[in-house]
Structure formats: C-alpha cells, structure tokens
C-alpha cells in the first residue's frame, strides 16, 4: 500500500486517541453501552404463545371488548448479517385481546419467504428500505422481499399484514397463522399495496401502491374484495408512505424527497430537494383523471390524518411534519444499533388547509407528534380531534406519551409517562351506543423500560390527560410496533 496523506492523518488520529483522558474513556463506554430505549429494537427470538396479562392499574371499562392487532419489526440480527434499518426487521403480528375485563397477548412472526430464507442462512440478506442485502437474497417477485412488518388491516376473520412494496400477507385472526399473499386480481399479482388504507364513509376501503411517478389506486370492499384498480400518474416521483382521503377525494402529499437514481437499499434512490417545495395532489374518487394541485413549503413526513371537506369546498387533514428526512435515513439506522444518539428531530402535528381559491396553509399545534389518528366513525368527514403519540424530543428518540389535539379549540390534551415508557400508536375505539367524538377509548401498548415488559393501556378520549383508566402488564417485552387496527 502506498502511504498517503489520508493514511498519515488516520494514523495521527489514532495516536491522539491513545492519550485518552478518563472523561473520554467514560464517554466512550457510555457510547458503547445499550441505550435506555434499546428494548424498542431488541430481537424477539420466537413467537409468543397466548398468555394472560396482569392488571396493574385501574380496571377495564365496561363495554370494552375486542382485539387490538398490531404489526411491527421484531427480528433484526442474525449471525451472518443484520438489518441495518428499523424498517427492515421481520414483521411480528401481535394480538391484544380484551374480554370480560381481562386482557391476553399472543404474537407470531409473519412467515414470509424473506424470513424463511434468512432463517435457513442465519443471515439477513434481503435488501429493504435501508438494508443493502447481498447476493444470497432469493427474490423472484416483490413479495419475496416483503418483511410484512408495517401495518395490519382486518378483513372478517383474517388480518392482512401490510408492507410497502408488495402484496398483503393474509394471517388467521384467531391463530395468527400465516396463510398466503393476497392477489386482488390475477393480472395485478405482486403489485404494491401500501400500509395505510383509508376507510370511506360508504364502508369501502381505498389504498395505493407506488412505482416511480405511477400510483395504483385500489378500491376494495371492507371484506377485502376488489371493486376496482386503476393506475394514475403523479406530478413527481416522490417517496410516499401514506396518503389520505376525504369522502369525495384522494389526497397525495408529494414531499421534496424525490427519485434520483436506481439502486438499493430503497431509500438511497431518493434525494432531498427542499427547493421543490411540497405539492398536494387532489384526485376525484369518481374520476381519477380529475385532479388539482396546491403548493406548500418543503417538509418531510411519513403519516397523515384522515381528511375532510367542508361545505364551501375547503379541505383539511393532519400531517406529522418534519423539517427533513434525517430520522428516516440516519435515525432509524442508529435506532437498530440500540446505542448512541439518534439523529433527527421529532415531527410536529400540523393541520393542512386547502382553500378553493388555490391557497394552502399549515397550522401548527406546536406539539411533537407522530401517528395521527381520528375517530373511525368520522373517517373522511369533518371532526375536531386528532389522537397522536407525544413527548419525543432531541436526545430521547420515540414518544413517551399520548395526546389529543382539539383543532376547534386549539388545545392539546396530553399525558406523559416519563422516560421509563416508550408509547406506541393508539387506536380509537368508539364506546358502544355512543356517537360523540369524545365517547371513545384509546387502546395502545407501551414498553415499560423500568420493568422491562410490554404493557397495554386504555385511555378515555375525554380525559386523556388523566392517564390510563386501565393498564395490564405482560411477562415479555416486545419491541416497538408501528401500526395497529381494532376489531370489536
Ligand atoms: Fe406508517
């Protein structure tokens, strides 16, 4: 090897490191130690057999009966190679059942071709959102790369484990046994069906799949039967994890994180170009060729809240907006390392308003937020409340509380557990026989870091700031999940 200035400088750096002060040594040890939040991305080695949870606070509200299904990555590391990004771990479907005041938990991994291959090789080899993979990957179709790890949709007695780049993976809702990838129409086999379906007031379901600047728009019955699928062209090839909808329109928020060059991992294909601003594309559900565009300042995002349209044509929806995509690229990589400082800033809950005259504006709640969710009875319809996880801040990744934003009053009602908890997304469960927005519970798990266990909480929407009305604790810690769905 020919000596060079670069090698010389590296040698000099190594020399200076050799004269370390005690402070430097302690800092280095702290850097290497597992972070307090490391359980969020710990590996789960096997399925979790059904088990009772212990009630540790309050009592289950009368009338609350049903199952919270949740999906999220739960296996990242194998002897011969690891997933280097939070979004690339194997999907684990959790089932938290509340019945007769008791709660139970079971969880099973989605039995994907990716997981089978990687179990056989004892190495993560499949390329993903932020994991490069290698030549040992066995990919004949997009579904072969599916981690089936992002979200869940309930269709009758089945649940669909959703991912971003391929088909839904059907699992039995009772046993969580993996059954098959869902082909909605033979000629559309393997087409992407993303993780954030939107439920319309007419009981049907809309979803999308992205490929470059083309989007396949899926329209389904709640049973999972296909009504129609059409392909539309978007004004830019933007990274799009979530879309939203009003009763009459689909809404695509096109951030300035745009396709730049082919390559893997997937996220490396996109370049952040804030000078492009953010566009909002409105598409008429009744005529997908009828569109309109609004312009907003640049922001990054993963998640939107449901949209609605007011009598004068004004459209509103929530977004968990970020100043850029640092967390998506770097933060979610460090999160899997389980140590050190996680790059990126928390997202903030904002309300986007699109006026009929072509003007668009964003109203900020001023609150750190992710996973905005509304009352399912009002999906696509006017509402006041948005539920979200809260409390994330620089230096402490992931949320530690739950909050309800009231857009009518501008007030944010929050409960914070403190840093011993990692709060997960809540589902909104209407109270039986009631119709007001506040007549609902929030059901969500957390990871209790002090106890080293997963917990399940029930909050009352009307008094979320008072904390959970019931908390159960498991005898196992599951890593943090992404998205859930409730089946009453
Ligand atoms: Fe998501």
């Amino acid at each position: 090897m020919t000596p060079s200035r670069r090698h010389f400088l590296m040698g000099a750096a190594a020399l200076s490191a050799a004269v370390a002060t005690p402070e430097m040594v302690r800092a280095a040890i702290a850097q290497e130690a597992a972070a307090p939040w490391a359980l969020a991305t710990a590996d789960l080695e096997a399925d979790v057999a059904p088990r009772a949870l212990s009630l540790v606070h309050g009592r289950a509200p009368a009338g609350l009966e049903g199952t919270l299904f949740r999906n999220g990555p739960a296996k990242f590391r194998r002897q011969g190679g690891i997933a280097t990004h939070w979004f690339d771990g194997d999907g684990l479907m959790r089932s938290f059942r509340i019945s007769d005041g008791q709660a139970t938990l079971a969880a099973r991994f989605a039995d994907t071709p990716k997981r089978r291959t990687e179990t056989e090789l004892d190495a993560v080899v499949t390329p993903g959102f932020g994991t490069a993979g290698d030549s040992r990957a066995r990919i004949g179709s997009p579904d072969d790369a599916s981690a089936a790890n992002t979200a869940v949709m309930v269709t009758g007695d089945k649940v669909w484990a959703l991912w971003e780049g391929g088909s839904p993976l059907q699992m039995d809702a009772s046993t969580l046994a993996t059954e098959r990838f869902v082909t909605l129409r033979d000629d559309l086999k393997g087409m992407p069906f993303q993780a954030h379906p939107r439920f319309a007031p007419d009981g049907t379901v809309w979803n999308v799949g992205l490929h470059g600047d083309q989007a396949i728009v899926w329209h389904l019955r709640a049973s999972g039967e296909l009504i129609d699928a059409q392909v539309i062209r978007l004004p830019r090839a933007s990274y799009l994890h979530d879309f939203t909808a009003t009763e009459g329109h689909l809404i695509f928020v096109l951030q300035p994180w745009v396709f730049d060059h082919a390559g893997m991992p997937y996220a490396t294909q996109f370049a952040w170009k804030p000078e492009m601003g953010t566009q909002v594309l409105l598409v008429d559900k009744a005529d997908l060729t009828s569109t309109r565009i609004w312009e907003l300042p640049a922001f990054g995002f993963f998640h939107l809240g449901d949209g609605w349209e007011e009598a004068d044509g004004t459209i509103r929806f929530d977004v968990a907006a970020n100043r850029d995509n640092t967390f998506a690229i770097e933060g979610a990589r460090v999160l899997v390392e389980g140590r050190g400082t996680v790059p990126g800033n928390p997202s903030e809950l904002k309300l986007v308003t699109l006026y009929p005259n072509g003007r668009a504006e964003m109203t900020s709640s001023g609150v750190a937020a992710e996973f905005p969710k509304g009352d399912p009875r009002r999906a696509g319809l006017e509402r006041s409340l948005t539920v979200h996880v809260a409390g994330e801040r620089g230096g402490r990744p992931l949320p530690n509380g739950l909050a309800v934003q009231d857009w009518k009053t501008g007030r944010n009602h929050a409960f914070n557990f403190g840093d011993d908890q990692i709060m997960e997304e809540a589902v909104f469960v209407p109270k039986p026989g009631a119709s007001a927005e506040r007549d609902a519970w929030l059901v969500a798990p957390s990871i209790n870091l002090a106890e080293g266990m997963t917990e399940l909480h029930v909050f009352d929407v009307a008094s979320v700031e008072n904390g959970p009305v019931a908390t159960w604790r498991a005898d196992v810690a599951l890593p943090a999940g992404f998205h859930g769905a409730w089946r009453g």
Side-chain angles (χ1 to χ4, degrees):
M1 182 185 293
T2 310
S4 68
R5 178 175 157 76
R6 187 170 69 88
H7 286 113
F8 174 80
L9 290 173
M10 285 171 66
L15 272 177
S16 67
V19 282
T21 63
E23 289 73 23
M24 288 166 67
V25 172
R26 277 198 291 275
I29 290 170
Q31 189 73 14
E32 283 307 307
W37 43 261
L39 272 178
T41 55
D43 282 338
L44 187 73
E45 296 304 335
D47 294 345
V48 175
R51 63 200 53 218
L53 304 185
S54 303
L55 186 70
V56 294
H57 169 76
R59 56 191 288 190
L64 176 60
E65 302 271 334
T67 305
L68 170 63
F69 295 98
R70 282 186 54 76
N71 197 354
K75 173 72 175 173
F76 304 92
R77 301 161 195 89
R78 296 181 185 273
Q79 200 65 36
I82 63 171
T84 56
H85 195 283
W86 190 25
F87 300 173
D88 295 328
D90 289 342
L92 179 79
M93 187 65 71
R94 295 92 159 149
S95 160
F96 294 91
R97 179 163 170 71
I98 299 174
S99 177
D100 288 333
Q102 312 288 315
T104 59
L105 166 66
R108 289 182 77 172
F109 279 98
D111 186 14
T112 57
K114 163 180 155 55
R115 182 169 167 82
R116 289 185 184 188
T117 296
E118 295 179 349
T119 300
E120 182 190 319
L121 298 173
D122 196 16
V124 175
V125 298
T126 312
F129 183 87
T131 300
D134 65 38
S135 60
R136 293 173 289 174
R138 300 169 190 162
I139 301 175
S141 83
D143 292 342
D144 292 335
S146 175
N149 66 358
T150 313
V152 52
M153 178 173 144
V154 178
T155 56
D157 58 358
K158 307 296 181 187
V159 291
W160 289 1
L162 305 181
W163 187 56
E164 194 149 286
S167 313
L169 182 68
Q170 182 172 298
M171 303 170 81
D172 183 274
S174 300
T175 66
L176 303 182
T178 297
E179 294 180 346
R180 61 184 174 86
F181 282 108
V182 177
T183 299
L184 290 163
R185 208 171 71 197
D186 286 345
D187 62 319
L188 301 175
K189 184 178 171 61
M191 293 280 274
F193 186 94
Q194 289 196 182
H196 289 285
R198 292 281 164 190
F199 297 84
D202 65 3
T204 66
V205 185
W206 293 82
N207 199 8
V208 299
L210 265 286
H211 179 73
D213 65 354
Q214 295 184 91
I216 182 165
V217 175
W218 304 99
H219 190 200
L220 283 70
R221 299 189 205 291
S223 60
E225 181 191 343
L226 184 68
I227 298 169
D228 195 16
Q230 294 184 46
V231 173
I232 63 170
R233 194 166 286 274
L234 304 175
R236 64 170 74 156
S238 173
Y239 176 72
L240 188 139
H241 174 77
D242 190 5
F243 77 110
T244 190
T246 67
E247 185 168 17
H249 294 91
L250 308 174
I251 299 169
F252 295 84
V253 178
L254 304 168
Q255 61 188 325
W257 193 20
V258 292
F259 178 80
D260 187 67
H261 61 276
M264 286 306 274
Y266 183 71
T268 62
Q269 301 187 9
F270 297 89
W272 180 249
K273 297 184 176 174
E275 67 277 9
M276 293 177 69
T278 294
Q279 288 182 322
V280 181
L281 175 75
L282 192 75
V283 178
D284 190 338
K285 284 181 177 175
D287 173 8
L288 300 188
T289 65
S290 174
T291 63
R292 189 169 177 194
I293 292 175
W294 280 259
E295 303 281 346
L296 283 167
F299 63 88
F301 80 103
F302 276 88
H303 297 116
L304 306 171
D306 287 319
W308 71 89
E309 197 160 340
E310 296 171 356
D312 67 353
T314 299
I315 287 172
R316 301 185 204 271
F317 60 91
D318 319 86
V319 57
N322 210 301
R323 68 180 68 163
D324 57 28
N325 57 9
T326 304
F327 177 80
I329 302 291
E330 279 298 305
R333 181 183 65 75
V334 174
L335 212 58
V336 175
E337 293 178 354
R339 53 176 55 83
T341 302
V342 176
N345 295 288
S347 297
E348 196 170 300
L349 184 69
K350 299 187 178 185
L351 188 70
V352 176
T353 303
L354 309 176
Y355 293 102
N357 67 4
R359 198 166 64 82
E361 67 179 21
M362 295 178 80
T363 306
S364 181
S365 67
V367 176
E370 251 300 354
F371 304 142
K373 306 269 271 190
D375 180 351
R377 295 165 296 195
R378 290 168 168 77
L381 303 174
E382 188 165 355
R383 63 184 161 83
S384 303
L385 306 181
T386 303
V387 173
H388 61 89
V389 293
E392 189 174 354
R393 60 189 192 278
R396 173 34 161 96
L398 304 172
N400 61 7
L402 197 61
V404 174
Q405 173 73 17
D406 186 333
W407 287 116
K408 291 274 166 26
T409 65
R411 290 189 61 195
N412 190 272
H413 305 267
F415 178 78
N416 193 290
F417 279 107
D419 283 350
D420 281 345
Q421 295 269 5
I422 293 172
M423 192 71 215
E424 302 191 37
E425 178 200 76
V427 295
F428 205 110
V429 181
K431 293 182 180 177
S435 60
E437 255 184 293
R438 284 181 171 73
D439 289 337
W441 298 292
L442 303 174
V443 181
S446 71
I447 308 170
N448 185 324
L449 299 172
E451 298 288 338
M453 298 295 172
T454 287
E455 294 184 340
L456 181 69
H457 309 280
V458 180
F459 290 77
D460 195 309
V461 170
S463 56
V464 68
E465 60 270 38
N466 294 339
V469 296
T471 296
W472 291 268
R473 187 173 298 152
D475 59 355
V476 60
L478 305 181
F482 289 143
H483 299 293
W486 178 261
R487 188 178 75 165

